[in-house]
Amino acid sequence: MLGGGIQYQWYENDNKIVIPDVSINCNTRNRKNVSLTGIPRMIMDVLSDATEKYDRNEKMDIYQKVGGVLNNGLLTGEKSR
């Protein structure tokens, strides 16, 4: 399990860097400089007012385009009522 700050870089995303909040990657040998290029088994992003639009739209599109991510999810900080 890898915490925030771990960079992923995939050719399907024009090698732009994506940083999920949490990821599980069983193959950390695939690297390009300081970025992982392997496909993580799980990705989780925590939504905030500042990142929600990007996380829900652009990041999810990237994860789908890359393929192979078995699980991805979004967490909110809101309390249920």
Side-chain angles (χ1 to χ4, degrees):
M1 179 178 259
L2 306 167
I6 300 300
Q7 302 179 149
Y8 286 91
Q9 194 171 6
W10 301 296
Y11 72 88
E12 295 92 343
N13 187 38
D14 300 323
N15 287 314
K16 295 177 189 164
I17 292 172
V18 177
I19 304 173
D21 292 323
V22 176
S23 64
I24 295 175
N25 193 325
C26 299
N27 184 3
T28 58
R29 292 183 183 177
N30 294 337
R31 293 179 177 264
K32 181 176 184 178
N33 298 323
V34 297
S35 299
L36 296 177
T37 58
I39 306 297
R41 313 264 305 156
M42 190 273 305
I43 289 176
M44 190 69 62
D45 285 301
V46 179
L47 299 179
S48 69
D49 290 341
T51 66
E52 182 171 8
K53 185 176 178 183
Y54 173 68
D55 288 343
R56 283 192 185 276
N57 299 305
E58 190 173 339
K59 265 186 166 177
M60 284 295 153
D61 288 346
I62 292 166
Y63 298 153
Q64 289 175 354
K65 189 178 356 177
V66 169
V69 177
L70 297 179
N71 296 292
N72 59 46
L74 300 170
L75 300 173
T76 64
E78 295 179 10
K79 293 182 181 180
S80 44
R81 296 175 187 198

